[in-house]
Amino acid sequence: MTDALKRLSDEGVAIWLDDLSRQRITSGNLAELIDQQHVVGVTTNPSIFQKAISDGHGYDQQVADLAARKVTVEEAIRMITTADVRDAADILRPVFDATGGQDGRVSIEVDPRLAHRTTPTIAEAKQLAWLVDRPNTLIKIPATKAGLPAITEVIGLGISVNVTLIFSLERYREVMDAYLAGLEKAKAAGLDLSLIRSVASFFVSRVDSEIDKRLEKTGTDEAKALKGKAALANARLAYEAYEEVFSSERWAALDKVGANKQRPLWASTGVKDPAYKDTLYVDELVAPGTVNTMPEATLESTADHGDITGDTVRGGYAQARADLDAIAKLGISYDEVVQLLEDEGVEKFEASWNDLLKSTEAELKRLAPSEG
């Protein structure tokens, strides 16, 4: 066992766990990961909750109580998921306090069926923040066109946000713009900007999965040589955009009154192609002021054989541009790929949410008390 996770932390990368379940909370496993594996945050999504609620019996007592009250399945899901997030936030509270609010964060996502509707997304974000009622929560809002004004509005209300499902560099710039606009609204409303935090979740592995498929189909040696390069190039250029935006005059005016930078967060960091090293999207995306949210398998792999050699992002901008240009010259459209990935990302979370509705409904029926 190396101490690659400590080296990663020392390089300025916050390690967050991309998973949560009642079992992980009650068994002490989450506390153990915080204590021993340098984990300083947790992200959740509809797929994670669907798996957690479907596995085992950790939720039986709460579901039985909800069934006795005859709550709707949507309300049951809200009560179950916010309870987990609240408990995880309490476990992470010492990290939150020790880092001045930067880490120790737990994310919970708005209903993905609202991804293309601005007003309901804002309402849902406010409701989730109120329900969890912990200062170290981040409300996840997808980076769809409808999500952008919701991000501005929610940040403007002083609610901290994790912007999710970012695939394109253009959309990432729009996300940063939405965040700054939200801070400006919060400032105008007299809010304390130092209390508002945000991360921008830039998805990694899915970019390689889609572009590699197209490179393989192209079939030339040149195309095959570019496999496994698109996702890292995309993420590195995102960091370049982050550096540019957060050194602008617009940012400087907010920085003066205590605002916090919106950190880039590398999401979808589990490797999909077994031909690649399983820590590829950790080892090759080391840069200060970032977050890497990892599934447990990736966390364990990094702890065991991660190769952390310092900053692997900032020296690579020219090569990143060259790699994406070479892919474009083969007729693979970057814009088409990133739009497809955004659409598929929303669809996948919607499908997981629908599965979550079905499995929760089945559990409510199974555990419903006999009338009496």
Side-chain angles (χ1 to χ4, degrees), residues 88-243:
D90 288 344
I91 293 167
L92 278 154
R93 184 59 191 258
V95 177
F96 174 80
D97 292 338
T99 60
Q102 174 151 279
D103 288 306
R105 297 274 174 178
V106 187
S107 298
I108 184 168
E109 189 147 351
V110 298
D111 183 336
R113 296 172 300 177
L114 306 175
H116 300 297
R117 297 167 63 203
T118 303
T119 303
T121 293
I122 294 164
E124 171 100 343
K126 287 158 69 177
Q127 171 75 354
L128 283 173
W130 178 82
L131 266 177
V132 177
D133 194 26
R134 294 293 184 273
N136 50 331
T137 312
L138 291 169
I139 308 302
K140 286 178 93 169
I141 297 175
T144 55
K145 277 290 184 190
L148 295 169
I151 292 157
T152 295
E153 188 65 28
V154 172
I155 290 288
L157 294 169
I159 296 169
S160 294
V161 172
N162 175 344
V163 183
T164 188
L165 289 175
I166 308 171
F167 295 95
S168 88
L169 294 165
E170 182 185 357
R171 183 56 53 83
Y172 177 42
R173 285 182 179 276
E174 291 173 338
V175 164
M176 291 187 283
D177 180 70
Y179 174 61
L180 296 182
L183 289 176
E184 285 157 356
K185 281 188 88 152
K187 180 185 171 189
L191 300 183
D192 182 351
L193 300 196
S194 71
L195 301 177
I196 303 170
R197 295 279 180 170
S198 184
V199 293
S201 295
F202 202 85
F203 278 53
V204 184
S205 66
R206 294 185 197 181
V207 174
D208 269 345
S209 296
E210 186 58 37
I211 288 183
D212 282 1
K213 192 165 66 181
R214 296 174 186 222
L215 291 167
E216 191 65 43
K217 199 173 171 185
T218 303
T220 63
D221 288 345
E222 186 191 0
K224 286 176 181 172
L226 287 163
K227 284 178 71 178
K229 296 194 171 174
L232 292 174
N234 201 36
R236 286 169 178 156
L237 293 176
Y239 192 84
E240 182 185 41
Y242 157 78
E243 287 190 306

Side-chain angles (χ1 to χ4, degrees), residues 64-91:
D65 290 345
L66 291 164
R69 289 175 46 219
K70 292 187 165 58
V71 304
T72 65
V73 64
E74 277 93 351
E75 188 184 347
I77 288 169
R78 279 286 161 254
M79 294 300 106
I80 291 163
T81 57
T82 54
D84 277 2
V85 168
R86 192 179 307 115
D87 289 345
D90 288 344
I91 293 167

Side-chain angles (χ1 to χ4, degrees), residues 9-10 26 29 34 49 60 62 65-66 69 90 122 167 179 184 190 209 220 245 293 311 321 367:
S9 297
D10 289 346
T26 57
N29 172 262
I34 295 162
F49 278 127
D60 283 7
Q62 188 181 11
D65 290 345
L66 291 164
R69 289 175 46 219
D90 288 344
I122 294 164
F167 295 95
Y179 174 61
E184 285 157 356
S209 296
T220 63
V245 169
T293 185
D311 188 332
R321 258 189 290 281
L367 295 164

